[in-house]
Amino acid sequence: MTSRVPVLLSSSSVFPERTAAAFQLAAALGYDGVEVMVWTDAVSQDAGALRGLAEHYGVPVLSVHAPCLLVTQRVWSPDPWERLRRAAELADTLEAPTVVVHPPFTWQRDYARNFADGLRTVADRFTGLHFAVENMYPVRMAGRQFVPYVPGWDPTEVGYPAYTLDLSHCAASHSDPLAMADRMGAGLAHVHLGDGTGEGRDEHLVPGRGTQPCAELLRSLAGRGFTGSVAVEVTTRGARSRAVREADLRESLAFARAHLTAPTPLNA
């Protein structure tokens, strides 16, 4: 039975397998849709190929993650605005309501300077889309910490119309996801479901295997009036076989469905 909140499989969760594998696994395991991480895999950049996969497997694309990662800085264009526009066009063509975007990196000075205004301009052009800015985290290296984002890793300190709440990133930043959701308020449009231990790195564990209040956050969504989607974004690159990967993704889906439908004081 499909829950009221759609549970998506992020294509990043099947890495190092390719984008097409995300559709195959989402269909086989019973996910409601796919979040496409746009990266160097040509299929992830191609609306026609993605539509074909969605139709073949009967699993729609319901979210597009713009190419904001370090490894995707040359996908489509070195210009971050062009990458964001292309991601928006892809989402619009596929009728996916959400585009996930990261805050600018510190070295993207022009992009950072105009990020809020530019985001509004793109949103005005694509009125049916939520451009959900994701919470990030400080980076710790050699015992030192630095923030590679401008003006910071926490988008609620600036304020945007829509947000993506990533629980693994909360762990890495030593943030309370429930407090983060409170600050996001009605702007909370999308959730990346993964766990972490708070060791200061981005772990994307299967939910329930870390220390984050993943269950509590999911149970609170109905009471928050949440109308978005939850994307399972976990790391399975260390899986010894396809069967192990499938088991992790099946467990993540079961976790999400169980807690999205569980009553809480907010929605009882």
Side-chain angles (χ1 to χ4, degrees):
M1 178 179 178
T2 300
S3 62
R4 186 179 65 85
V5 175
V7 183
L8 318 182
L9 177 60
S10 169
S11 60
S12 67
S13 297
V14 307
F15 185 83
E17 294 192 63
R18 312 290 278 183
T19 303
F23 288 86
Q24 180 190 15
L25 284 167
L29 298 175
Y31 279 81
D32 299 312
V34 167
E35 173 170 314
V36 172
M37 171 71 79
V38 179
W39 64 300
T40 55
D41 179 2
V43 169
S44 74
Q45 306 170 28
D46 187 321
L50 293 168
R51 184 186 289 110
L53 286 166
E55 291 175 355
H56 177 74
Y57 288 106
V59 183
V61 177
L62 295 178
S63 178
V64 170
H65 195 308
C68 313
L69 306 179
L70 282 173
V71 296
T72 59
Q73 293 299 293
R74 296 286 173 174
V75 169
W76 282 330
S77 168
D79 178 5
W81 287 119
E82 179 63 16
R83 293 199 300 272
L84 182 58
R85 284 190 293 269
R86 293 281 293 272
E89 288 170 357
L90 183 64
D92 192 51
T93 300
L94 296 170
E95 299 181 347
T98 303
V99 175
V100 178
V101 59
H102 290 181
F105 286 115
T106 53
W107 59 84
Q108 296 174 315
R109 291 185 177 87
D110 291 340
Y111 182 55
R113 187 179 302 114
N114 302 304
F115 184 65
D117 289 340
L119 203 58
R120 280 192 291 270
T121 299
V122 177
D124 287 343
R125 177 180 171 188
F126 297 94
T127 55
L129 301 180
H130 295 292
F131 292 86
V133 184
E134 186 172 2
N135 62 296
M136 301 305 292
Y137 52 93
V139 174
R140 296 174 176 85
M141 295 180 64
R144 303 184 68 180
Q145 175 176 298
F146 69 97
V147 178
Y149 304 99
V150 176
W153 57 265
D154 182 354
T156 67
E157 292 183 353
V158 177
Y160 298 101
Y163 301 98
T164 295
L165 173 60
D166 188 302
L167 286 108
S168 178
H169 294 176
C170 286
S173 64
H174 298 162
S175 305
D176 179 352
L178 294 167
M180 179 75 72
D182 289 344
R183 293 197 299 276
M184 291 178 172
L188 177 58
H190 192 59
V191 172
H192 277 167
L193 179 60
D195 213 333
T197 62
E199 291 184 351
R201 58 190 177 89
D202 191 17
E203 297 169 283
H204 287 286
L205 303 177
V206 169
R209 297 185 187 176
T211 59
Q212 298 308 289
C214 297
E216 292 86 345
L217 187 281
L218 293 176
R219 290 199 297 264
S220 78
L221 290 178
R224 296 177 187 277
F226 182 74
T227 58
S229 53
V230 171
V232 168
E233 193 179 70
V234 297
T235 296
T236 65
R237 71 185 64 186
R240 298 184 303 277
S241 65
R242 166 60 86 88
V244 173
R245 175 169 291 118
E246 285 190 23
D248 283 350
L249 298 179
R250 184 180 292 108
E251 180 181 332
S252 298
L253 175 60
F255 184 100
R257 290 247 171 89
H259 294 293
L260 282 168
T261 57
T264 69
L266 283 173
N267 64 1

